[in-house]
Amino acid sequence: MSDLTSTGSECIPKNSDLQCDPIIRKYGIKPQGLTSYILTLEEQRKNDYPIKGSPGCKGYIYTECDQQRTDSSPLFGLDCEMCLTAKGNEVTRVSLVDAQGQCLLDELVKPESRVMNYLTRFSGVTKKMLLPVKTRLSDIQTRLKEMLPHDAVLVGHSLNADLQALEMIHPSVIDTSLLFARNEGRRFKLKFLAKAVLGKEIQCEQKLGHDPAEDARAALELAQFFIEQGPAKVAELNLEMLLTTEKPAEDSQNKAALQPQGCRVQKQLNEPPHLSKPCFLDCLQVTGQKPVLLGRQGLDSSDLCQSNLSTSNKQILQRALEDVPLSTFSIIQFSLGPEYIASHLLALCEQVRSKLADMLTVYAGPFEEGFCLHSVKKEFGRCGPIQSLAVVTETYKPYVCIQYEVLEAAQLAVESLNGAEVAGSCIKVQRPVTAAMLDCDDLIKELELDVENEGVIYVAGLKKSLTERDLQEEFSQLKDLETLFLPKDLQSGKHRNCCFLKFQESQSAADALEVINGWTVKGRKLRSRNALASGHLWRWIWQMNHSNGKQGGHILYEKMEQLSDSEQDLRKKVKKLDHHIKKLYRSLQNNTLCVVLFPGVNSRHGAQPGLGLMAVKNDGGRSAH
């Protein structure tokens, strides 16, 4: 470690607690400019960075960023996700963010060689995602070379793996896995640093794979924190102690830090492996608070005590009424049986499909005989992608039924075209008049207030020829723009003439709405409104739009007809189960937190989401939700 000691260590008092900290030994105490943290040529060589003129880098693209770096040179965060091919590690997704955290590039890349392993667990990239992709590594190399200014400094975590996979050489880099120095050449994991230093959760287990834009932004912010606060402030965080406290087994599981020179392996292997956190039930056991776990025989009971398994819901209820009041924490597992769960979820699925179909549909008219249908389609298409369009002739004058692919488009059509002149007629635009749609306006308001839609707006009327890069440039002037999402057709890879913009602040989103409405881009006037459909609704809509008219598309309806004979039996079972839950709920003490979970199901019809209810019981059996 002698080569890691630096000038400035002589300024540390001999009795200082920080004197032995590897960060202080490497950088000293005083804050320095960013140029002090750029890897030297020797450090790059030691850590397997691609270097100009190196025998192993033949054919690599040089960024030609040769301008002298200063402490005011621009920082850019870079992160890639890779797959394993016959050639080795090849890039499947690339993200680049600027110093403000703005995502400049986030693109899928098709590998040149045959893919042996998509590494989906790490990358989040699947074979299906790459099927429509036409972008190749050479396209990304050209774009990065064009985007980076001549004095750019790239920031990343184990950035050598990214540059090797990109087959690119860049002279000035800050590697956060080396910046936050540790003893014996070990490295902190990016996920841990983001949480400990920035207070941010990244690489969440609920997500499939890593988000490279999120990782690039985290690495960039870590470097900015280090530069602004200085080594002493970073050392005072006592990261080693935090890691030891959070993960006692870290020392024994974190020895595969640096790979030998020239060895190119997936960068996740250079980082400490994921360490499991103690189970909540284990924590209760340690404190002497043994939980009550009651369930049905034959079910996957995990750690349920075998003595507490019962044969019926009635037995479970009887045991619960006796044991739950004496326990601090209880898990009670009732069951309808797999055959009833499947039928109940199919019925629920059909209800949601029907509701969404009505919400995605608008009727427009009346029109004069012989009206131009193309003009109607063109005008309504400016509100968003159209799933289907049909003329209604059963009325005195013709109407048109338009079904959209997204909720925002249907709502935008109602709001902007009702009372407008289209195809020579002043028309009325409305949704279907059904019992299920009586509360449509209230539901739309609730969706707008959904926390997942906070700071998100929908933009329609985009020209099909516009690329994601064109839109990034066009909307870059909007304040606090964080992310641009451009929905694409899974088969053609083309976008659906609409996009979503997410802003850091709700007020910035509101300001952007005023600016964008009526904004002309490439000769097209844009229309915009607040977003409505969060992630789970997008999945429902996509499933509905892509099941009709395809083989197996009517399985759901056939199944529903087959289940109609057992519908009364199902209702009785559900009513009885509801009675059990109510009885148990009434027996609970006041201020008891109650959570009721109805699990989803995976079947050949698709993955149906579950449902969760939560309340705190208070006096009179009422609850605070």
Side-chain angles (χ1 to χ4, degrees):
M1 293 293 290
S2 59
D3 57 321
L4 292 181
T5 56
S6 75
T7 59
S9 60
E10 64 274 6
C11 300
I12 306 173
K14 290 184 179 180
N15 60 349
S16 172
D17 292 335
L18 300 178
Q19 187 173 2
C20 297
D21 191 289
I23 291 176
I24 299 301
R25 295 210 315 270
K26 184 174 182 179
Y27 301 110
I29 280 187
K30 294 182 180 179
Q32 304 173 55
L34 69 86
T35 52
S36 300
Y37 306 115
I38 294 176
L39 293 184
T40 65
L41 187 62
E42 181 58 33
E43 286 175 323
Q44 290 188 39
R45 186 176 288 111
K46 180 180 178 181
N47 290 284
D48 195 30
Y49 273 81
I51 297 173
K52 189 176 181 181
S54 176
C57 299
K58 188 177 180 180
Y60 280 29
I61 302 299
Y62 187 56
T63 59
E64 296 182 1
C65 297
D66 290 324
Q67 188 173 321
Q68 184 177 358
R69 270 57 176 181
T70 67
D71 289 340
S72 59
S73 291
L75 297 175
F76 293 86
L78 177 69
D79 189 76
C80 302
E81 300 301 336
M82 279 81 86
C83 69
L84 185 63
T85 71
K87 179 182 176 182
N89 283 333
E90 286 194 54
V91 171
T92 52
R93 189 175 173 188
V94 184
S95 291
L96 183 75
V97 300
D98 63 17
Q100 287 72 47
Q102 176 73 36
C103 187
L104 305 178
L105 176 69
D106 188 9
E107 189 119 10
L108 291 171
V109 185
K110 178 155 289 192
E112 300 290 342
S113 307
R114 180 173 60 88
V115 178
M116 300 171 65
N117 189 336
Y118 285 90
L119 301 174
T120 304
R121 176 188 168 196
F122 298 107
S123 68
V125 177
T126 63
K127 180 180 180 180
K128 189 175 181 180
M129 290 171 63
L130 290 181
L131 283 177
V133 175
K134 293 184 172 55
T135 304
R136 296 286 186 175
L137 179 61
S138 57
D139 301 319
I140 294 298
Q141 291 170 334
T142 301
R143 289 180 64 181
L144 284 173
K145 193 173 177 181
E146 292 173 350
M147 294 173 75
L148 293 174
H150 292 302
D151 62 339
V153 176
L154 286 180
V155 179
H157 199 78
S158 298
L159 191 57
N160 59 306
D162 300 292
L163 292 175
Q164 292 283 11
L166 286 168
E167 297 184 7
M168 295 189 74
I169 300 169
H170 188 77
S172 300
V173 296
I174 294 177
D175 189 334
T176 50
S177 73
L178 300 172
L179 184 66
F180 291 80
R182 300 183 70 187
N183 287 322
E184 301 174 5
R186 295 173 298 168
R187 304 189 189 190
F188 288 114
K189 195 174 181 181
L190 180 62
K191 178 181 175 72
F192 166 74
L193 287 175
K195 178 70 179 296
V197 179
L198 306 175
K200 291 187 175 182
E201 292 281 0
I202 65 169
Q203 301 174 1
C204 297
E205 294 178 4
Q206 293 82 356
K207 296 180 182 178
L208 180 63
H210 299 176
D211 179 351
E214 181 183 68
D215 289 359
R217 194 175 290 113
L220 180 69
E221 291 178 10
L222 284 168
Q224 290 171 329
F225 180 92
F226 199 108
I227 295 166
E228 292 169 5
Q229 300 298 322
K233 287 289 184 182
V234 175
E236 287 171 2
L237 293 175
N238 207 346
L239 295 174
E240 206 71 53
M241 181 62 71
L242 285 175
L243 184 62
T244 304
T245 303
E246 182 180 356
K247 302 171 181 178
E250 185 269 336
D251 285 336
S252 62
Q253 299 187 31
N254 188 28
K255 293 181 179 178
L258 296 176
Q259 299 295 329
Q261 182 177 352
C263 178
R264 297 173 190 171
V265 294
Q266 183 187 357
K267 67 177 180 178
Q268 282 83 357
L269 300 181
N270 283 338
E271 299 177 5
H274 172 73
L275 301 173
S276 60
K277 295 181 179 179
C279 172
F280 175 66
L281 296 181
D282 294 337
C283 295
L284 285 176
Q285 296 276 16
V286 169
T287 58
Q289 304 178 66
K290 188 175 181 180
V292 168
L293 305 169
L294 303 175
R296 290 277 296 273
Q297 286 182 349
L299 296 175
D300 179 13
S301 55
S302 302
D303 295 326
L304 296 182
C305 301
Q306 294 298 316
S307 60
N308 285 344
L309 294 177
S310 304
T311 57
S312 68
N313 286 335
K314 188 174 182 179
Q315 287 183 357
I316 293 172
L317 176 63
Q318 290 173 346
R319 291 292 303 273
L321 292 173
E322 296 172 4
D323 297 346
V324 169
L326 305 175
S327 173
T328 304
F329 183 81
S330 307
I331 296 177
I332 316 300
Q333 187 180 30
F334 293 108
S335 175
L336 285 171
E339 68 280 5
Y340 291 110
I341 292 174
S343 61
H344 181 61
L345 283 171
L346 283 168
L348 176 64
C349 176
E350 173 56 19
Q351 291 175 9
V352 175
R353 284 167 60 94
S354 177
K355 183 88 169 184
L356 282 173
D358 285 344
M359 293 184 70
L360 290 165
T361 302
V362 298
Y363 285 88
F367 294 97
E368 298 297 328
E369 294 290 342
F371 73 99
C372 180
L373 185 60
H374 177 74
S375 298
V376 175
K377 184 175 182 179
K378 184 177 179 180
E379 188 64 38
F380 279 82
R382 289 172 180 163
C383 295
I386 294 175
Q387 176 72 16
S388 63
L389 185 145
V391 178
V392 180
T393 57
E394 290 84 351
T395 51
Y396 177 69
K397 286 187 176 183
Y399 280 72
V400 176
C401 174
I402 304 111
Q403 186 174 73
Y404 285 98
E405 293 186 16
V406 294
L407 288 176
E408 289 84 359
Q411 186 64 20
L412 198 56
V414 172
E415 293 170 346
S416 62
L417 294 177
N418 186 36
E421 185 173 324
V422 178
S425 300
C426 184
I427 61 169
K428 182 178 180 180
V429 180
Q430 64 183 30
R431 285 195 170 87
V433 181
T434 65
M437 294 298 289
L438 292 175
D439 62 348
C440 182
D441 290 341
D442 293 331
L443 184 56
I444 292 294
K445 291 177 183 177
E446 289 296 323
L447 288 171
E448 286 182 334
L449 296 175
D450 192 310
V451 67
E452 290 192 35
N453 293 322
E454 188 175 346
V456 182
I457 65 173
Y458 166 81
V459 182
L462 305 177
K463 210 168 185 178
K464 288 286 181 74
S465 60
L466 288 171
T467 65
E468 187 169 347
R469 187 177 181 183
D470 294 333
L471 294 173
Q472 290 280 8
E473 293 176 357
E474 195 68 39
F475 295 130
S476 61
Q477 57 187 293
L478 298 175
K479 182 182 177 184
D480 294 335
L481 178 61
E482 187 175 289
T483 309
L484 182 148
F485 170 56
L486 190 63
K488 295 181 180 179
D489 186 278
L490 293 178
Q491 294 179 340
S492 67
K494 295 180 180 180
H495 69 75
R496 312 299 293 145
N497 87 320
C498 65
C499 71
F500 292 84
L501 303 178
K502 180 173 177 58
F503 293 83
Q504 296 175 7
E505 303 290 340
S506 299
Q507 186 56 49
S508 299
D511 295 340
L513 271 178
E514 295 184 11
V515 174
I516 292 176
N517 274 315
W519 198 350
T520 302
V521 177
K522 302 291 184 183
R524 289 274 188 91
K525 279 192 175 183
L526 304 184
R527 289 174 176 168
S528 181
R529 75 169 325 280
N530 291 318
L532 295 174
S534 52
H536 60 282
L537 281 176
W538 265 94
R539 288 192 292 274
W540 276 103
I541 294 169
W542 187 92
Q543 184 182 25
M544 184 182 71
N545 287 342
H546 290 79
S547 62
N548 295 330
K550 295 186 179 181
Q551 184 178 3
H554 300 293
I555 291 177
L556 179 63
Y557 298 103
E558 294 169 5
K559 186 70 175 175
M560 287 300 295
E561 290 173 5
Q562 295 170 11
L563 292 171
S564 59
D565 294 338
S566 63
E567 188 175 2
Q568 291 300 321
D569 186 36
L570 171 63
R571 288 182 177 179
K572 289 178 182 178
K573 294 279 186 181
V574 172
K575 190 173 182 180
K576 199 169 186 179
L577 180 59
D578 185 53
H579 173 73
H580 288 335
I581 294 174
K582 284 181 179 177
K583 191 170 183 179
L584 177 59
Y585 183 76
R586 292 192 185 105
S587 72
L588 300 174
Q589 297 178 5
N590 287 331
N591 299 319
T592 300
L593 173 64
C594 307
V595 180
V596 180
L597 299 176
F598 298 90
V601 67
N602 289 321
S603 70
R604 62 196 179 102
H605 306 295
Q608 306 301 338
L611 176 67
L613 306 172
M614 182 167 65
V616 176
K617 185 186 176 187
N618 59 25
D619 291 331
R622 298 178 180 179
S623 56
H625 298 277

